[in-house]
Amino acid sequence: MPIIVHEFDWPDRVVIGTVGVPGSRTFYLQVRSGVQIVSIALEKQQSALLAEKIDEMLEQLMTHDGNPFSVPTATPIELVDNDPLEQPFDEQFRTGTMTLGWDPRSAQVVIEAFSLIDSGVADEDFDAVSLESTETLLVRIPVGTAQAFAMRTREIVGAGRPICALCGMPIDADGHVCTLPDDR
């Protein structure tokens, strides 16, 4: 089966956004270059980890002797993107695994997202089947854009349901009943 690669080099826009209300949100990584838009679904934890790893990578690059990749110390305000996801909205695929890399030739952060593999095969037959991702998203972005992307992603992830101070569980919009641990 051929693999479809959605490749974006220096895209016009790359953001994490959500659809739905806190507690029932679906997270999307959306990339646009000209009129081409690709939106892929991912988990909240994948979004949070992606932002965290981008921050770590940029911090390491910033501390290289003389900051040769010109990583700014703060997110450039002109790159901050707080607009909603673009419409029309079509989910291209659900993300399984992701990789994060650095291309020193172009001084760009490289994000790869691979489609979730649904084998459609019973567990006992799993070893007999060769599984491959059928779609991939490949995005290359400069360091300033990566900083703005990570900042927005942290904000989106943190905008979920508030946490109960007593039990530490999320509070739903329709109420919350928590069970305190027994004092035994």
Side-chain angles (χ1 to χ4, degrees):
M1 174 177 271
I3 297 174
I4 299 169
V5 178
H6 307 278
E7 188 169 355
F8 292 86
D9 199 10
W10 300 89
D12 299 327
R13 184 173 195 228
V14 57
V15 295
I16 294 284
T18 61
V19 173
V21 297
S24 297
R25 296 185 297 171
T26 302
F27 285 73
Y28 292 95
L29 169 55
Q30 188 176 72
V31 186
R32 177 179 50 79
S33 186
V35 295
Q36 180 188 11
I37 299 175
V38 172
S39 303
I40 61 170
L42 58 154
E43 298 295 324
K44 178 180 181 178
Q45 293 80 6
Q46 288 174 306
S47 303
L49 188 58
L50 181 58
E52 177 184 326
K53 294 303 179 184
I54 287 173
D55 285 340
E56 287 176 11
M57 176 187 293
L58 295 177
E59 179 67 30
Q60 288 175 356
L61 292 168
M62 193 182 308
T63 59
H64 271 87
D65 193 25
N67 190 5
F69 302 108
S70 300
V71 179
T73 55
T75 302
I77 192 71
E78 65 274 9
L79 298 177
V80 174
D81 182 346
N82 292 319
D83 292 336
L85 294 172
E86 296 191 34
Q87 302 294 327
F89 187 84
D90 292 316
E91 178 181 313
Q92 195 66 43
F93 63 84
R94 180 159 288 284
T95 304
T97 59
M98 297 180 79
T99 65
L100 181 64
W102 173 252
D103 183 349
R105 295 169 298 163
S106 61
Q108 290 180 301
V109 173
V110 181
I111 302 168
E112 284 184 290
F114 302 92
S115 61
L116 185 65
I117 300 167
D118 181 11
S119 67
V121 181
D123 288 339
E124 61 270 12
D125 296 331
F126 183 76
D127 292 337
V129 178
S130 173
L131 300 176
E132 293 183 10
S133 178
T134 58
E135 287 189 74
T136 301
L137 174 65
L138 175 61
V139 182
R140 291 181 183 87
I141 54 177
V143 294
T145 302
Q147 281 181 315
F149 173 85
M151 183 178 82
R152 175 190 168 118
T153 301
R154 285 190 310 277
E155 290 170 0
I156 295 288
V157 168
R161 297 174 288 173
I163 302 298
C164 175
L166 297 174
C167 70
M169 298 300 293
I171 301 171
D172 293 322
D174 59 346
H176 174 75
V177 176
C178 60
T179 306
L180 297 176
D182 293 334
D183 293 332
R184 293 183 189 183

